[in-house]
Amino acid sequence: MNFNQSISAFERAQRSIPGGVNSPVRAFKSVGLNPVFVKKAKGTTITDLDGNQYIDCLASWGPMLFGHAHQRILSAIGEAAENGTSFGAPSQYETEMAERIIRMVPSIEMVRMVSSGTEATMSAIRLARGYTGREAFVKFAGNYHGHGDSFLIKAGSGAMTLGIPNSPGITKGTAKDTLMAEYNNLASVEALFQEKGSEIAAVILEPVAGNMGVVVPSKDFLQGLRDLCTQYGALLIFDEVITGFRLAKGGAQEYFGILPDLTTLGKIIGGGLPVGAYGGRKEIMEMMAPVGPVYQAGTLSGNPLAMAAGIAMLTMIEEQPDLYTEMERKAARLEDGIRRNLATTNIPGVINRVGSMMTLFFTDSPQVTNLEEAMTADTERYASYFKLSLESGIYLAPSQFECLFVSYAHTEEEIDRMIASNLEALKAIGR
Ligand code: KE4
């Protein structure tokens, strides 16, 4: 493969954009490569500036449940754009979107739209503090909730990938209110509640972690958190920016049957346009201005184009009866193929998967159930694996600590191509 156009585009971009990217994890730094610059994407195919084509397993970090540039999404955006691109005034697009989210997500009775997952999680924590009158909150090492100040403590995703989980610029005053627990370790949360229970406004987590690679909650973990939050009067917040509408129509809370007090959403609900949302019980949400005293705002919140794309996406989800069974079937086929390949090549690895999100960890550890175990992964080996996969036309996450996403649009033939590519890459790195 020739990457000359991407290389020169990257050189040019670095002169005007920090690191040449508008989001650090896109820079391919942790896999030691120049990033490919995308020219276009359609369905499950990405085409870069040099004309190289890839089967996309990243789905723009999650939104592309039905593949890129789906005609229903494009038409919705085009029609909405004919009537204007932003009003700064209420429109019925927003109400339609809110009603769909409320209909589909079990715990949401009222919802506020914002423009990113970060805005959603920042607002949810502020709301939990306003509602409870408490200041501290609990997050889990390795979970990533966007780049809000209070979250960049032992954060996952790009912060972890680039080895800066505690970013400069976060004040001690902010950090003191972020209490850290260990994923899948209920005792670590109980200890915090026993010590500071009256100060804890919320517990926020990824109900299936995606940002330290996929880490699955143990059987009693989510229920245990639900019970602790109820017992101590703290709010349980499910950050479903990745899992929302991916694991089930009602996200992880439907998949596991656990109701949080607040839910944050993003990615899929925008159909690829900038959208986030947070929602929950009416009595909590009505703390938000202009009804209540907790302030949050946004010029482009509920933007008509983003709402039109999101409405089209949620409509497609509701209309597709085999959406989740088909994604489960295809993802299971991929997982089985990779497991066979690991055995054939005798390469140690752990695969964590829930539905259509999975991660292959290159580790000798028998399991990956928390950040400490995720960190045993051989990131050098992942970098080699990523490069070999890219050169064979498979576009994976450029980090060991992210997800591979199967979409409804992936065909059997593409799943088999991924399995074949995986085998060749494992054989090559195994040597
Ligand atoms: P955004 O602000 O990037 O829209 O959403 C932040 C966020 C919140 N919560 C979860 C569970 C998330 O996964 C994210 C963002 N995810 C990362 C990758 N896993 C986005 C990729 C990037 O940072 O460029």
Side-chain angles (χ1 to χ4, degrees):
M1 276 185 170
N2 163 329
F3 298 104
N4 295 337
Q5 297 285 338
S6 282
I7 290 168
S8 53
F10 188 46
E11 283 162 4
R12 178 182 165 200
Q14 289 177 87
R15 292 195 287 274
S16 53
I17 305 170
V21 291
N22 284 308
S23 197
V25 74
R26 300 179 194 168
F28 280 25
K29 226 173 168 178
S30 77
V31 291
L33 294 173
N34 280 323
V36 295
F37 273 57
V38 176
K39 183 183 176 81
K40 61 181 179 181
K42 183 74 178 172
T44 54
T45 302
I46 287 178
T47 304
D48 70 17
L49 291 183
D50 294 282
N52 302 311
Q53 295 203 313
Y54 312 91
I55 297 175
D56 179 25
C57 302
L58 188 57
S60 181
W61 303 96
M64 303 304 164
L65 205 62
F66 292 96
H68 292 274
H70 192 286
Q71 197 47 54
R72 293 270 297 270
I73 306 275
L74 299 185
S75 307
I77 295 168
E79 282 159 34
E82 291 297 322
N83 298 321
T85 55
S86 177
F87 312 127
S91 77
Q92 284 194 313
Y93 290 109
E94 298 159 77
T95 314
E96 261 203 61
M97 181 70 165
E99 289 169 352
R100 270 171 175 71
I101 290 173
I102 289 163
R103 181 168 72 233
M104 296 168 79
V105 184
S107 66
I108 295 184
E109 297 175 349
M110 191 166 262
V111 64
R112 168 66 60 84
M113 303 311 299
V114 292
S115 298
S116 70
T118 293
E119 271 193 274
T121 55
M122 279 167 54
S123 308
I125 291 295
R126 185 180 308 139
L127 170 53
R129 288 170 164 157
Y131 178 76
T132 61
R134 302 175 182 178
E135 296 187 356
F137 77 96
V138 177
K139 81 173 284 286
F140 292 88
N143 275 192
Y144 178 73
H145 303 293
H147 64 87
D149 276 7
S150 46
F151 297 120
L152 287 183
I153 319 281
K154 282 205 177 179
S157 186
M160 181 172 161
T161 298
L162 299 174
I164 42 174
N166 304 315
S167 168
I170 311 297
T171 65
K172 289 188 180 58
T174 300
K176 72 174 175 44
D177 291 326
T178 303
L179 308 180
M180 197 59 59
E182 182 178 77
Y183 204 83
N184 276 324
N185 178 346
L186 204 53
S188 71
V189 186
E190 277 166 333
L192 290 172
F193 271 111
Q194 280 156 9
E195 186 195 345
K196 301 179 171 233
S198 61
E199 300 166 42
I200 296 174
V203 173
I204 186 170
L205 79 157
E206 298 177 53
V208 173
N211 288 295
M212 47 180 148
V214 174
V215 172
V216 186
S218 60
K219 189 177 169 313
D220 303 327
F221 183 56
L222 297 179
Q223 186 58 58
L225 293 177
R226 175 65 279 168
D227 296 343
L228 275 172
C229 286
T230 302
Q231 179 186 347
Y232 284 90
L235 297 189
L236 178 60
I237 304 175
F238 274 10
D239 178 354
E240 297 224 41
V241 167
I242 289 181
T243 57
F245 305 100
R246 175 161 287 280
L247 296 187
K249 240 187 272 186
Q253 56 197 269
E254 175 187 313
Y255 189 91
F256 292 108
I258 305 277
L259 292 189
D261 300 299
L262 289 175
T263 301
T264 56
L265 298 166
K267 296 184 193 278
I268 286 173
I269 61 167
L273 269 64
V275 187
Y278 62 101
R281 290 198 307 278
K282 200 162 181 291
E283 47 113 8
I284 302 175
M285 290 303 292
E286 289 195 325
M287 285 292 289
M288 296 310 296
V291 184
V294 182
Y295 195 70
Q296 174 268 315
T299 305
L300 298 174
S301 296
N303 171 271
L305 305 194
M307 294 299 98
I311 289 164
M313 175 65 93
L314 297 188
T315 303
M316 286 159 61
I317 288 172
E318 288 199 286
E319 282 175 356
Q320 198 64 50
D322 66 346
L323 173 61
Y324 297 104
T325 49
E326 269 301 281
M327 288 201 294
E328 171 58 32
R329 188 180 63 78
K330 291 172 184 175
R333 182 190 178 100
L334 178 58
E335 177 187 354
D336 293 347
I338 295 174
R339 284 191 188 287
R340 279 198 309 277
N341 294 344
L342 289 169
T344 305
T345 54
N346 200 23
I347 288 183
V350 167
I351 301 176
N352 287 345
R353 177 178 74 84
V354 179
S356 58
M357 58 191 281
M358 73 174 88
T359 298
L360 165 58
F361 292 92
F362 287 101
T363 176
D364 296 303
S365 170
Q367 61 180 20
V368 175
T369 62
N370 57 39
L371 176 62
E372 192 182 341
E373 291 171 351
M375 294 292 281
T376 64
D378 180 340
T379 53
E380 291 296 311
R381 174 159 273 199
Y382 183 85
S384 306
Y385 174 70
F386 174 86
K387 183 171 186 294
L388 290 159
S389 302
L390 190 74
E391 287 167 352
S392 73
I394 307 295
Y395 194 91
L396 301 173
S399 161
Q400 168 67 94
F401 307 114
E402 296 282 0
C403 307
L404 179 156
F405 293 109
V406 171
S407 80
Y408 186 72
H410 280 120
T411 64
E412 305 277 341
E413 188 270 334
E414 287 173 330
I415 297 290
D416 290 343
R417 268 189 56 199
M418 292 179 210
I419 294 169
S421 162
N422 167 270
L423 179 59
E424 292 316 305
L426 291 178
K427 282 178 183 171
I429 61 174
R431 276 196 284 274

